[in-house]
Amino acid sequence: MDRSQLRAQANLLLENYNQPVLVEEYLPGKEFTCAVFGNGDEAMVLPIVAMNFESLPKGALPIYSFDAKFVWDRPENPLDIFQCPARITRQLQASIERVTLDAFRVLGCRDWARIDVRLDAAGVPNVLEVNPLPGILPDPADNSCLPKAARAAGISYDELIQNCLKYAAARQGVNLESSLSQIGAPQSERLLAAS
């Protein structure tokens, strides 16, 4: 699309929808999604999930669209759309992790998030989207990326949920050990301890 075509399309959208138009550069490279755990300097990226757009129906746009998530990916006929851990070079992995953690920290995400990254034409990772409340479907048959990355890291679903709670508690200065022992005490003892 050249500038005149872009201007004509933007004008058409402005007239039809009467709201601002956002124009972005198309990123033609591979797409990844990255699960992040923790807070501050101790935040870490779990194994990276790569998108396999070749598994989409012929002629489908190479994006993880609504159709890819909910129409074409069915329990009775699942798409083979994810590769985890992604088969990429260590250099690319480090670049993706760096941009992911930078986005996580700059945007003030806490405890966990899922960040979608796509490569530009030069192979440079760009953040597409940040999900501070990521999907966490427990069934491995469901294509839920944060649990998929956790499983690839050897973290069970229960540990995934517990780790999020631990990160949030530590961030808030809550001692889970003493809080849990308080929960197990009879109510009269809890009331005495609180006073």
Side-chain angles (χ1 to χ4, degrees):
M1 180 178 281
D2 64 22
R3 282 190 177 274
S4 63
Q5 292 170 317
L6 175 62
R7 183 170 281 120
Q9 184 64 34
N11 285 333
L12 177 75
L13 293 171
L14 284 167
E15 290 171 15
N16 286 327
Y17 296 102
N18 197 26
Q19 60 186 9
V21 174
L22 176 65
V23 177
E24 298 177 298
E25 177 184 351
Y26 175 68
L27 303 172
K30 294 185 178 201
E31 188 171 326
F32 306 91
T33 190
C34 305
V36 181
F37 254 14
N39 290 302
D41 291 339
E42 291 166 17
M44 64 179 172
V45 178
L46 296 180
I48 296 171
V49 179
M51 300 290 179
N52 174 22
F53 293 129
E54 288 77 36
S55 69
L56 296 177
K58 188 175 179 162
L61 294 174
I63 58 173
Y64 193 44
S65 65
F66 177 87
D67 286 340
K69 292 177 188 177
F70 303 109
V71 177
W72 301 322
D73 188 17
R74 307 295 313 153
E76 65 277 3
N77 188 21
L79 285 177
D80 182 24
I81 194 151
F82 298 118
Q83 178 190 86
C84 185
R87 288 186 219 103
I88 54 178
T89 66
R90 287 183 187 205
Q91 182 181 0
L92 179 56
Q93 177 181 339
S95 294
I96 292 170
E97 288 175 351
R98 186 172 39 255
V99 75
T100 296
L101 289 172
D102 285 350
F104 183 84
R105 292 176 181 131
V106 165
L107 294 174
C109 296
R110 300 175 306 222
D111 313 324
W112 67 6
R114 199 194 80 245
I115 298 177
D116 299 335
V117 173
R118 193 156 183 161
L119 306 182
D120 66 14
V124 176
N126 291 261
V127 172
L128 284 180
E129 179 181 13
V130 176
N131 301 276
L133 293 173
I136 53 168
L137 299 173
D139 185 348
D142 291 322
N143 277 333
S144 191
C145 291
L146 195 136
K148 186 177 293 297
R151 282 190 300 276
I155 300 169
S156 73
Y157 187 79
D158 287 347
E159 290 170 318
L160 169 75
I161 302 303
Q162 290 168 7
N163 282 339
C164 184
L165 175 63
K166 288 176 187 175
Y167 291 128
R171 180 174 44 82
Q172 292 296 323
V174 174
N175 181 336
L176 285 179
E177 296 299 321
S178 66
S179 297
L180 291 174
S181 65
Q182 294 272 329
I183 292 170
Q187 184 175 4
S188 59
E189 290 178 31
R190 289 197 307 267
L191 291 174
L192 287 174
S195 59

